[in-house]
Amino acid sequence: MADNASPDNATDTRTAPTRTQDRPTEVTAAGIARLAGVGRAAVSNWRRRHADFPKPVGGTETSPAFALRDIEQWLRDQGKLAEVPLRERVWQQLVGHPAGAAAALRQAGAVLLLAHDRPAAWQQLRAAADDAELTGVLPAVLDSVLAARLGPGHPVRGLTREALAPSAALVRATGDLAAADGAAAAYDFLLGRHLDANPRQYTLTPPGPAALMAELAAVAGPSGTVLDPACGAGALLAAARERAAEGNDAGEGAAPVTLYGQEADADLAALTALRLSLGVPDAQVRVRAADTLRADAFPELAADAVLVHPPFNERNWGHDELAYDARWEYGFPARTESELAWVQHALARLREGGTAVLLMPPAAASRRSGRRIRADLLRRGALRAVIALPAGAAPPNGVPLHLWVLRKPGTTPPAPQLLVVDTAELAAGAPAGRDKPDWQAVRATAVEAWRTFDRDGGVEERPGVRRSLAAIDLLDDDVDLAPARHLPPPAAAGGPAELARVRERLTTTLARTTALTPRSDGGAAGPARWPLTTVGELARAGALVLRAGGAGTAPAGGTAPAVLTDHDVIAGGAPSGTLPEAPASGPAEEPVLLQAGDVVVPVLGGGAVARVADDGAAGAALGRNLTLLRPDPAALDPWFLAGFLRGTANNRRASSYASTATRLDVRRLQLPRLPLADQRRYGQRFRDLAAFEGALRLTARLGEQLVQGLHDGLTDGSVAPD
């Protein structure tokens, strides 16, 4: 999804070819660092130390740009260019192209499509022509390939002889990359790098929500035609094609897919058309560049499925000029209800019985300005489900977005019922948006609920998770469709019987807490005067190893370990975080993995906290703002180490109060020099204290659950006051 307002400068990067022909391809210091496989500091040193280092040809004083050909020659002369990957060199040519990265990526994508669809013709053309002849002949060849794959009116424009004249080196290098990596993989890398380099320009739909939306839309049957009227970079259309392929493999008989997309940003529409045509070569692709609500490119389409991640909170969506548009079958949306305009556009482009899934802001389910349209969607059986996602599912990451599942009513619409599902509790990690949701659990919960509801007309109620409601029960003054407002709280699940079980567990835990209560008699005459050492000294002596957390990415297609976060350590919980995905431009980064017996210390705002990793935490990745201490068992007892690190005075000495966020310098923490036998005596006592602390935490949780459950039971009538 990208902003659906047409950019004023959509064609500016393709003007004045005679001026750009003689301009060299430029590269920044960061690009030079990537070419040479070094850090930016090394590039700065080269500029200072080598008088023959190329002079800047553009950019600014703080961020100069250099001619790529001069930089490559200098690096080659210095012996620093031998190991540069081909894809990195192509990327530097692309990003430094005088017409701009988007125009260069459009040219490279068209060449890759030619190499993919007509490899023999491409090789013959490339071998027979010099640079001038190659760029002169290419436009006609590319137009033929693009028209065959994308149809007339496709958005990949501007591939003229003048525009291609400065691109001969890029064209040939792109062909080399296609031969090395494959055309589809090469374009995925280049487009992925471009999107990563411009995060504020594009709002992308993450893979998790995209796959879930495609699966929800495909549940009703095989989807042969899929539309995304705000297609952005094409994530939803690609997910729909993958779901159709899975249907074929599973014997569900999915029809050959035709992918229709529309995007207001002309450059992004062109790049998406190329991505889809290369990534799903067996699908027919039709992508058009125009503002969907004002200039619908597919007015006669009756799609099997519509998937949309629309722009949120748009005021300039065409309210004034579209007042009498035939798409507003359920009511004319208010100026502040652009999302309801997208909902009705999606329904207008569906065949009868077709399914639409939209990613929506939560406010769209409850704003008073949209209540009449929501009411009509319910009465006529068009809106079938509202599914609340955990915060962090998609941008904006701090907001728990909703999925709306709609079905275009036929001649006999279903009984007006609405499925509400709340997956917010399935988020990985406590603070909203800090860790990624557990998409396997979210997807399983949402899809199972929708399939059951769609098949049976209702679902078995699960407090706090799902429920089916009669539309008439929602048609009040607000027509509030937020799932959380219609689901009974989980604490009240099971009624008095469940509350009795919670009370029994609390009683048992309180008894265990009493048994674990440590004795404090038998104190010494006064504070001990042990010889002290620091964690830093122990690390230098080899008695322990220090590792900082926060590094690591999840491998593509592989299984990633859970992450122990600083919140998990402070709260005494199990590892709950997830690793970020590896960038498209490089391999996965190895995280620091925990072993049983490691001591983990929060370094930011945690207070006097240290935790010994048990077998349950072993194998988890070390999260941000954590330091790992791995003691040598022949020199240090881990419980002794963790116990003394928790001393209040110890933490005060090692803390920095220079800012509002107290940061702990773990190397300055102190502990006494004691024989291993004495360490183990102290370690056993610290272990007992940890067990007591865990029992207290469980007691607090059970007490809160019992109190809240009794409040809920008394207020909903399931528990009598006597």
Side-chain angles (χ1 to χ4, degrees):
M1 187 274 290
D3 191 306
N4 222 48
S6 299
D8 296 332
N9 60 345
T11 57
D12 290 351
T13 58
R14 298 187 293 276
T15 59
T18 56
R19 292 197 303 271
T20 62
Q21 284 188 29
D22 299 327
R23 285 180 53 194
T25 299
E26 297 175 0
V27 62
T28 63
I32 297 171
R34 290 196 188 97
L35 282 172
V38 299
R40 291 190 62 177
V43 178
S44 299
N45 286 335
W46 293 343
R47 291 186 64 196
R48 288 195 302 268
R49 293 171 52 195
H50 296 277
D52 61 340
F53 192 89
K55 304 301 180 185
V57 296
T60 64
E61 187 173 337
T62 56
S63 180
F66 306 84
L68 178 60
R69 61 172 178 265
D70 296 341
I71 290 296
E72 286 184 326
Q73 185 60 50
W74 187 88
L75 292 173
R76 192 176 291 110
D77 294 343
Q78 297 289 326
K80 303 179 186 298
L81 199 61
E83 302 299 327
V84 177
L86 174 61
R87 56 169 48 187
E88 187 62 44
R89 298 188 64 190
V90 174
W91 168 252
Q92 293 302 334
Q93 288 184 325
L94 187 148
V95 77
H97 196 281
L105 188 54
R106 195 164 52 244
Q107 297 171 7
V111 171
L112 289 169
L113 187 61
L114 170 61
H116 180 275
D117 284 9
R118 304 178 187 177
W122 161 245
Q123 292 298 338
Q124 182 179 5
L125 176 64
R126 185 182 177 198
D130 58 22
D131 286 357
E133 186 179 359
L134 178 65
T135 56
V137 175
L138 265 181
V141 179
L142 295 179
D143 281 347
S144 173
V145 172
L146 291 166
R149 287 298 301 276
L150 300 176
H154 64 78
V156 189
R157 304 292 185 185
L159 302 180
T160 63
R161 178 171 186 167
E162 292 76 15
L164 289 170
S167 306
L170 174 63
V171 166
R172 294 188 183 277
T174 301
D176 293 337
L177 189 58
D181 293 356
Y187 191 73
D188 274 349
F189 164 75
L190 295 174
L191 178 60
R193 179 71 75 84
H194 176 67
L195 296 176
D196 289 344
N198 299 276
R200 296 185 179 182
Q201 185 175 348
Y202 307 111
T203 301
L204 307 178
T205 309
L212 173 57
M213 293 170 70
E215 192 162 2
L216 292 171
V219 165
S223 295
T225 305
V226 183
L227 167 69
D228 183 350
C231 64
L236 292 176
L237 292 174
R241 176 62 192 93
E242 290 176 11
R243 176 63 183 84
E246 291 170 3
N248 276 328
D249 294 340
E252 296 179 12
V257 175
T258 303
L259 304 177
Y260 290 88
Q262 187 166 349
E263 170 56 45
D265 185 323
D267 281 335
L268 188 56
L271 302 183
T272 299
L274 291 165
R275 173 194 180 184
L276 294 172
S277 59
L278 282 164
V280 284
D282 58 336
Q284 190 176 42
V285 176
R286 296 291 181 265
V287 177
R288 300 294 176 261
D291 184 316
T292 296
L293 295 181
R294 289 185 172 92
D296 184 10
F298 308 107
E300 306 302 323
L301 182 64
D304 295 292
V306 177
L307 303 175
V308 196
H309 179 177
F312 295 162
N313 303 318
E314 286 288 304
R315 296 299 181 97
N316 185 25
W317 58 268
H319 177 270
D320 294 338
E321 59 261 49
L322 298 174
Y324 301 102
D325 197 288
R327 289 172 291 183
W328 316 143
E329 186 178 346
Y330 299 86
F332 180 42
R335 188 185 301 277
T336 56
E337 294 288 351
S338 62
E339 296 86 4
L340 294 182
W342 287 97
V343 165
Q344 296 189 77
H345 175 83
L347 285 167
R349 294 297 159 262
L350 281 174
R351 62 166 174 80
E352 285 190 4
T355 305
V357 183
L358 287 86
L359 188 62
M360 302 281 280
S366 56
R367 281 191 297 243
R368 287 187 60 81
S369 54
R371 65 189 185 278
R372 289 189 176 87
I373 294 177
R374 293 196 299 271
D376 207 28
L377 290 169
L378 287 173
R379 287 192 196 96
R380 298 171 61 180
L383 181 57
R384 307 294 291 144
V386 177
I387 301 170
L389 301 177
N397 290 312
V399 178
L401 302 178
H402 291 174
L403 291 178
W404 285 23
V405 184
L406 301 108
R407 181 72 52 74
K408 185 163 186 176
T411 53
T412 56
Q417 291 275 331
L418 181 71
L419 169 69
V420 291
V421 181
D422 191 350
T423 65
E425 295 301 319
L426 301 175
R434 186 166 74 178
D435 295 308
K436 292 188 177 181
D438 178 0
W439 270 106
Q440 184 175 359
V442 171
R443 187 172 176 179
T445 300
V447 171
E448 194 272 333
W450 168 243
R451 282 181 171 164
T452 303
F453 176 83
D454 194 40
R455 181 185 66 240
D456 303 336
V459 294
E460 179 184 354
E461 181 179 307
R462 293 182 187 171
V465 178
R466 72 185 197 186
R467 184 183 181 189
S468 56
L469 302 164
I472 193 170
D473 295 334
L474 298 166
L475 299 176
D476 53 17
D477 289 342
D478 295 323
V479 196
D480 190 337
L481 307 182
R485 297 193 175 100
H486 301 286
L487 291 169
E498 177 62 23
L499 294 177
R501 283 191 288 270
V502 173
R503 184 178 182 277
E504 290 175 7
R505 287 189 64 198
L506 177 59
T507 302
T508 303
T509 306
L510 283 170
R512 183 168 180 266
T513 303
T514 302
L516 289 171
T517 302
R519 297 175 59 185
S520 58
D521 55 349
R529 301 299 181 184
W530 295 304
L532 299 175
T533 185
T534 65
V535 168
E537 290 171 348
L538 290 171
R540 288 191 292 272
L544 57 80
V545 174
L546 271 81
R547 299 291 300 276
T553 53
T559 302
V563 176
L564 184 73
T565 68
D566 53 348
H567 181 272
D568 299 331
V569 175
I570 295 168
S576 64
T578 55
L579 289 172
E581 296 177 2
S585 57
E589 182 182 355
E590 290 293 329
V592 177
L593 300 181
L594 291 168
Q595 298 177 9
D598 288 344
V599 178
V600 182
V601 182
V603 297
L604 190 63
V609 178
R611 173 174 169 180
V612 179
D614 56 14
D615 291 335
L622 190 68
R624 293 182 295 111
N625 299 322
L626 292 175
T627 294
L628 177 146
L629 306 166
R630 181 166 293 160
D632 179 354
L636 281 174
D637 180 83
W639 287 100
F640 163 81
L641 174 62
F644 273 94
L645 295 187
R646 287 190 61 171
T648 302
N650 203 359
N651 275 261
R652 285 178 178 172
R653 281 191 294 267
S655 296
S656 166
Y657 294 91
S659 68
T660 55
T662 302
R663 189 170 188 87
L664 188 69
D665 184 353
V666 177
R667 291 179 174 272
R668 295 172 58 189
L669 289 170
Q670 296 179 335
L671 65 158
R673 295 181 182 271
L674 293 180
L676 191 57
D678 291 342
Q679 291 182 32
R680 287 171 178 160
R681 286 176 50 231
Y682 277 96
Q684 184 58 51
R685 192 64 186 273
F686 287 132
R687 188 193 294 260
D688 293 341
L689 283 173
F692 177 63
E693 185 178 38
L696 289 176
R697 284 198 178 104
L698 179 57
T699 301
R701 288 197 295 269
L702 291 171
E704 289 174 359
Q705 187 177 352
L706 181 61
V707 170
Q708 188 60 53
L710 286 169
H711 273 95
D712 293 337
L714 288 165
T715 55
D716 69 13
S718 61
V719 175
D722 54 355

